Amino acid sequence: MPDTCPIFISARVRSGSTLLWQIYDRLPGYRAYYQPCQDNLLPHIRHTRPMASHRGVDDYWSAFRPLVGELPRYHEPAFGITRLMLEADEPWPALRDYLQLLIDNCDGERPVLQFNAMCYRLPWLRRNFPDAQIMHLWRDPREHWLSVVRHLPSGLWDEPNLPDAYNVLQTCADLSRYLPLLFSGGDTSYARVYHLWRLSRLAGDRVADASIQFDGDILADPARGLGTLAQLGLLREQDLPAARACIAPTPTGKWREHHDPAWFEAIEQACEAQLTALGLTEHFGTLPLSAIRARCPQTWDEMQATAPGLDEAMTQMLLAYSERRGECTRLLDAVRRAGGGDRWWGQLARRLRLRA
């Protein structure tokens, strides 16, 4: 691949993708777009300040600002909250045109698009952008779970149906129309997170050009992880020292303070058994869902019978929820600007379970 082709970073939310985006954002010669399919992208560009946990980030949205006048004509909230699974041959010209707009307006810099809503669309992304390089980033599932729930009161961490700041329930609601086990396949938040994590990794390992583990390849051994990216043409050799400087030591293993390893292992084994019985472990990411279902129809029918019936009304509800969150983002910024203060603003944002 030429070193001018687009780079797509695909990861589940809270998997280290912000750090990868930040590396490219700081390096010369790249135009790095932060979560371009985020459903509330336009309100966030106008009103959202960086999270305290994203150390060293001054502005998420600098790559978008030259296009701010055109974005309302191209970006749709649906890109980030509905149709989260796309088969390779499914048409969505609006999404393709929007991503092409970002790629075409980089002023000679190499486009880097960092996604948290593309994990289950990778076959579609590959078909529509064959010249791009796709990097899949994944994290240890237990570390990932803790990062998703830790902003909530600890008594709620295991609750599977609690709407949270990272759209686990909303993602399951949309995907359950294609993958009913996401609503019938577990009674803890970890089961939901693990199913999403595992399906994301299956697709990433099979479709992406590179599958990188955040904990082992980036945090634990940055020289190895970044060197792998350079070998694959995803970074230049001269970029490596500056990229290394962006990575700070991060403690791991805190999930052990909340549950014994056996608790996690039991849930993981149950999830793996479900995915295997449905043929997803063997074929997800390589075969269309219709072909996977045809290989074990009885298991799919039994799973479908235990799932709630979700239809177009669910799409409308998700879009209405997205609109509400966008308005809350605007109001929170108005309060901060009126003198509420950053600390108070952050506390209120957490109460509303929004990303502050």
Side-chain angles (χ1 to χ4, degrees), residues 13 38 51 148 151-152 162-168 170 321 325 349-350 352-356:
V13 66
Q38 220 275 359
M51 295 173 65
V148 166
H151 66 291
L152 301 171
L162 183 70
D164 66 279
Y166 301 110
N167 284 352
V168 171
Q170 295 89 328
Y321 171 75
R325 287 193 299 120
R350 285 190 291 275
L352 291 171
R353 297 191 295 272
L354 293 169
R355 281 173 290 204

Side-chain angles (χ1 to χ4, degrees), residues 15-34:
S15 292
S17 56
T18 295
L19 176 59
L20 263 292
W21 164 81
Q22 185 182 13
I23 287 172
Y24 285 105
D25 187 57
R26 289 185 176 188
L27 291 172
Y30 300 92
R31 179 73 58 90
Y33 295 98
Y34 185 73

Side-chain angles (χ1 to χ4, degrees), residues 94-154:
L95 177 56
R96 189 189 188 288
D97 291 348
Y98 166 62
L99 299 181
Q100 193 65 54
L101 171 76
L102 302 182
I103 291 168
D104 290 343
N105 284 270
C106 289
D107 296 327
E109 297 177 307
R110 188 174 186 183
V112 179
L113 284 69
Q114 177 260 312
F115 299 107
N116 292 137
M118 279 289 177
C119 296
Y120 319 105
R121 297 166 169 169
L122 292 185
W124 179 91
L125 199 64
R126 173 67 75 200
R127 172 72 63 85
N128 283 273
F129 297 92
D131 295 332
Q133 286 184 280
I134 301 175
M135 181 199 316
H136 174 65
L137 185 70
W138 59 278
R139 192 175 190 179
D140 176 272
R142 301 175 192 183
E143 300 286 353
H144 174 52
W145 169 80
L146 181 62
S147 188
V148 166
V149 301
R150 68 185 182 188
H151 66 291
L152 301 171
S154 59

Side-chain angles (χ1 to χ4, degrees), residues 42-343:
L42 301 183
H44 279 308
I45 290 174
R46 299 186 189 105
H47 304 294
T48 296
R49 295 156 61 91
M51 295 173 65
S53 62
H54 291 162
R55 297 185 294 268
V57 177
D58 298 319
D59 183 5
Y60 297 123
W61 319 114
S62 58
F64 295 95
R65 298 197 187 281
L67 288 167
V68 72
E70 292 188 72
L71 288 177
R73 294 193 294 113
Y74 285 88
H75 179 271
E76 298 178 9
F79 295 161
I81 204 164
T82 66
R83 297 185 67 185
L84 295 178
M85 182 170 175
L86 286 174
E87 305 277 20
D89 59 353
E90 286 188 69
W92 200 350
L95 177 56
R96 189 189 188 288
D97 291 348
Y98 166 62
L99 299 181
Q100 193 65 54
L101 171 76
L102 302 182
I103 291 168
D104 290 343
N105 284 270
C106 289
D107 296 327
E109 297 177 307
R110 188 174 186 183
V112 179
L113 284 69
Q114 177 260 312
F115 299 107
N116 292 137
M118 279 289 177
C119 296
Y120 319 105
R121 297 166 169 169
L122 292 185
W124 179 91
L125 199 64
R126 173 67 75 200
R127 172 72 63 85
N128 283 273
F129 297 92
D131 295 332
Q133 286 184 280
I134 301 175
M135 181 199 316
H136 174 65
L137 185 70
W138 59 278
R139 192 175 190 179
D140 176 272
R142 301 175 192 183
E143 300 286 353
H144 174 52
W145 169 80
L146 181 62
S147 188
V148 166
V149 301
R150 68 185 182 188
H151 66 291
L152 301 171
S154 59
L156 299 175
W157 285 9
D158 294 336
E159 168 56 49
N161 295 323
L162 183 70
D164 66 279
Y166 301 110
N167 284 352
V168 171
L169 181 63
Q170 295 89 328
T171 300
C172 287
D174 182 71
L175 289 175
S176 66
R177 288 175 288 186
Y178 320 97
L179 300 162
L181 86 160
L182 293 175
F183 257 107
S184 59
D187 57 2
T188 67
S189 63
Y190 186 60
R192 291 210 192 285
V193 167
Y194 188 85
H195 273 133
L196 292 173
W197 172 87
R198 184 67 167 127
L199 290 166
S200 169
R201 184 167 175 202
L202 287 169
D205 286 350
R206 290 165 176 167
V207 181
D209 297 289
S211 185
I212 304 294
Q213 185 188 13
F214 179 68
D215 317 85
D217 295 330
I218 301 298
L219 293 183
D221 194 348
R224 183 186 67 185
L226 296 174
T228 298
L229 297 182
Q231 291 170 9
L232 295 170
L234 293 160
L235 279 174
R236 301 165 302 201
E237 289 289 337
Q238 64 264 33
D239 295 329
L240 294 179
R244 175 66 183 86
C246 294
I247 302 171
T250 301
T252 60
K254 289 189 175 182
W255 51 266
R256 293 184 177 87
E257 300 172 10
H258 307 287
H259 286 296
D260 186 89
W263 183 86
F264 290 97
E265 290 169 7
I267 294 173
E268 291 162 3
Q269 290 171 5
C271 291
E272 291 291 345
Q274 290 174 320
L275 293 167
T276 298
L278 292 165
L280 294 166
T281 303
E282 185 176 2
H283 300 296
F284 189 73
T286 58
L287 293 179
L289 273 186
S290 58
I292 298 174
R293 292 187 66 144
R295 290 169 178 259
C296 40
Q298 183 177 349
T299 308
W300 277 87
D301 289 344
E302 291 171 356
M303 183 67 70
Q304 188 73 56
T306 65
L310 300 177
D311 53 19
E312 182 59 26
M314 176 59 69
T315 296
Q316 297 308 313
M317 185 179 72
L318 289 169
L319 291 172
Y321 171 75
S322 171
E323 184 177 2
R324 188 208 71 168
R325 287 193 299 120
E327 180 64 8
C328 287
T329 298
R330 184 190 68 79
L331 292 173
L332 285 166
D333 189 40
V335 169
R336 179 182 60 81
R337 292 176 183 273
D342 286 347
R343 182 178 179 183

